[in-house]
Amino acid sequence: MTHAIRQTSQALCKLAPLLPPQLMGEALSLVRKITSRYYRYEAINGLAPYLPAELMGEALDIVGPLHGDNRIRVLITLIPRLPAELLKKALAVVPENNQNSQNWMDLLTALGVHQSSKKQHDSLAKALSAVQTIWEK
């Protein structure tokens, strides 16, 4: 079974740039069937750059149960492309602060670019604080 899961994930990643938008919903349905967290992460991360706006909410539903850096990596890919009405949903699945992670800083930067100037300032201040924490260690 693990072999089939890995092959499904890898096939979705290879197909992603070739799939027309009308088939992406079916691809996301396949991602939901992947039981391994790692291979689910791999598949959604491979599809994320090619998803049409109308499927971004469903993608965020898939991202939510992922853990740690895997969730952060997919969010980094999704956030710059999210419609404004989904930004709040994306913020709800941002994992707890992990200031030791380069991925965490990349996520804060992606959020900062996509937010209003006040929220952008707050996100970038957190990113700068994370850099300072790493420097002090």
Side-chain angles (χ1 to χ4, degrees):
M1 185 65 152
T2 302
H3 184 65
I5 291 169
R6 185 186 69 211
Q7 285 184 320
T8 300
S9 176
Q10 290 172 346
L12 286 169
C13 290
K14 289 178 183 177
L15 286 172
L18 306 172
L19 290 174
Q22 60 270 25
L23 291 179
M24 284 296 190
E26 189 175 332
L28 285 179
S29 293
L30 288 170
V31 172
R32 286 185 181 278
K33 293 178 182 179
I34 297 173
T35 55
S36 161
R37 285 186 196 143
Y38 174 76
Y39 290 117
R40 190 176 321 124
Y41 148 72
E42 186 179 75
I44 191 65
N45 201 43
L47 290 173
Y50 308 100
L51 291 173
E54 62 270 12
L55 293 176
M56 292 292 194
E58 187 176 345
L60 288 173
D61 292 339
I62 293 170
V63 170
L66 297 176
H67 290 282
D69 279 351
N70 289 342
R71 187 182 326 168
I72 291 172
R73 285 185 203 108
V74 179
L75 286 170
I76 289 168
T77 303
L78 288 175
I79 284 174
R81 302 181 58 248
L82 283 178
E85 64 271 11
L86 289 177
L87 187 58
K88 188 173 184 175
K89 185 174 183 174
L91 292 172
V93 298
V94 170
E96 291 297 316
N97 185 348
N98 180 358
Q99 291 188 347
N100 295 323
S101 167
Q102 176 64 45
N103 291 322
W104 174 255
M105 288 181 285
D106 292 343
L107 176 61
L108 291 174
T109 302
L111 284 168
V113 168
H114 198 57
Q115 294 176 340
S116 67
S117 59
K118 166 70 172 110
K119 288 182 180 179
Q120 183 180 48
H121 178 270
D122 293 346
S123 292
L124 294 174
K126 286 180 186 176
L128 189 57
S129 175
V131 170
Q132 183 175 356
T133 302
I134 290 170
W135 178 257
E136 291 171 354
K137 288 188 174 193

